Amino acid sequence: GIQKSASTSRYDHHILEASKKYGLSPALIKAIIKAESGFNPAAVSRKGALGLMQIMPENVKVLNISDPFNPRENIMGGSKYFSEMLDRYDKRVQLALAAYNAGPTQVDRYKSIPPFPETVEYVKRVMSYYYVYKKG
């Protein structure tokens, strides 16, 4: 299972703030962070995604993030973006996660989770973490 280590609770206060502001489940935000960066605020992906919630550089400004490696800013920005995806897909969490991973253009094109192994796997992974964190 997932260890409830210090690394997973280290950002709980930011996660709670973001969850209240954007009406998201804290367990879901946490699950996205776990899948995206494994709670590493300095993470940079091969595609250049940044920080805890792996914000793409072109979204940094749009999401009012001045420092993507600042845990609070990253969590607030990533949560804002995810809540926009949730609204766009009528609160369907799996579609919103697919859009967070592959971009809304792809989700719109397929009208479902795009058939990319990485995206399918990502959605499954986040949902399994979400289940674990929800049970607390």
Side-chain angles (χ1 to χ4, degrees), residues 71-122:
R72 182 183 174 273
E73 286 191 42
N74 193 289
I75 290 169
M76 295 305 282
S79 297
K80 179 185 198 311
Y81 182 72
F82 183 73
S83 75
E84 288 167 3
M85 294 302 105
L86 257 185
D87 289 343
R88 182 172 179 149
Y89 298 109
D90 304 318
K91 306 290 180 209
R92 287 182 289 182
V93 171
Q94 297 189 358
L95 285 185
L97 287 169
Y100 193 92
N101 176 265
T105 312
Q106 298 295 345
V107 176
D108 292 346
R109 176 180 299 160
Y110 291 99
K111 308 269 184 277
S112 68
I113 296 172
F116 312 138
E118 183 207 320
T119 302
V120 172
E121 181 50 41
Y122 173 82

Side-chain angles (χ1 to χ4, degrees), residues 20-117:
K20 288 192 180 119
K21 181 166 183 179
Y22 297 111
L24 300 171
S25 153
L28 185 53
I29 297 173
K30 195 175 241 194
I32 294 171
I33 293 170
K34 168 79 176 161
E36 288 290 348
S37 67
F39 295 93
N40 173 7
V44 179
S45 79
R46 288 191 313 272
K47 293 179 186 155
L50 307 167
L52 286 169
M53 294 189 77
Q54 292 288 279
I55 313 290
M56 290 305 284
E58 62 270 22
N59 290 331
V60 167
K61 281 246 188 323
V62 186
L63 296 170
N64 300 320
I65 298 168
S66 56
D67 176 7
F69 299 112
N70 173 300
R72 182 183 174 273
E73 286 191 42
N74 193 289
I75 290 169
M76 295 305 282
S79 297
K80 179 185 198 311
Y81 182 72
F82 183 73
S83 75
E84 288 167 3
M85 294 302 105
L86 257 185
D87 289 343
R88 182 172 179 149
Y89 298 109
D90 304 318
K91 306 290 180 209
R92 287 182 289 182
V93 171
Q94 297 189 358
L95 285 185
L97 287 169
Y100 193 92
N101 176 265
T105 312
Q106 298 295 345
V107 176
D108 292 346
R109 176 180 299 160
Y110 291 99
K111 308 269 184 277
S112 68
I113 296 172
F116 312 138

